[in-house]
Amino acid sequence: DAGIEYAKPLMNDPALASEYINPSEKALNFGVYTADMAYAAAYQDIKSTIELYKVVKRLGAEMNIAEMMTTEMMEKMQANMQNPDSLAVIAGDAYYQAVDYLEANQQNGKLALMSLGGWIESLYITLNAIDEVNADSPTAQRIADQKITFGNLYTYLRKNEEEVGVQDAITEVKDI
């Protein structure tokens, strides 16, 4: 809506997914690739969206959470590739289904890391896709609003700091 052009080079290269070998790296990058997939879908880059979905599905299988990546979800995505508004709704629904699944299966640490990875990637793309930030623009306000989102995310990380990899992530983002 802000007229920001699509910048595919800002996304994490799907070929790098095989380099993430420990559980924390996989969870963080699951979030990164999910954010990239939503970004590609929003700009109707169908080829990249499908490629990223495959990466996310594979990482999900490696993390033993493949059940949350349903065939129905992929079919909905493919059926709505030309409708960014519908894709946004589908992505939102998929996110809440994933949250419910991970919480129901006591995998809050993975959820915390996945959320952090997605937040970082989304902010990275946003900040690097714009040429200049006008302090009075809606884009600048949305960026500033991330302080609230990050505060909630940081609280969730702290709540799950005993889970694998979460304390390391807290240390990495503490300065933010």
Side-chain angles (χ1 to χ4, degrees), residues 95-142:
Y95 172 77
Y96 288 110
Q97 287 174 356
V99 168
D100 290 344
Y101 175 86
L102 291 167
E103 287 180 341
N105 289 284
Q106 289 81 40
Q107 298 190 40
N108 295 358
K110 286 179 185 175
L111 176 57
L113 293 172
M114 290 163 45
S115 298
L116 179 61
W119 182 82
I120 289 170
E121 183 72 350
S122 296
L123 198 56
Y124 171 81
I125 289 171
T126 301
L127 291 173
N128 287 285
I130 54 179
D131 295 325
E132 182 178 312
V133 178
N134 175 348
D136 297 326
S137 73
T139 302
Q141 184 58 51
R142 283 191 166 176

Side-chain angles (χ1 to χ4, degrees), residues 143-160:
I143 293 168
D145 289 344
Q146 289 304 304
K147 179 179 180 182
I148 296 166
T149 304
F150 181 74
N152 293 334
L153 177 56
Y154 191 77
T155 299
Y156 191 73
L157 288 164
R158 296 288 300 179
K159 182 179 174 185
N160 293 286

Side-chain angles (χ1 to χ4, degrees), residues 1 9 32 40 62 64 78 81 84 94-95 100-101 103-104 166 176:
D1 292 343
V32 168
E62 291 173 8
N64 298 316
Q78 288 177 329
M81 282 296 181
Y95 172 77
D100 290 344
Y101 175 86
E103 287 180 341
V166 175
I176 294 174

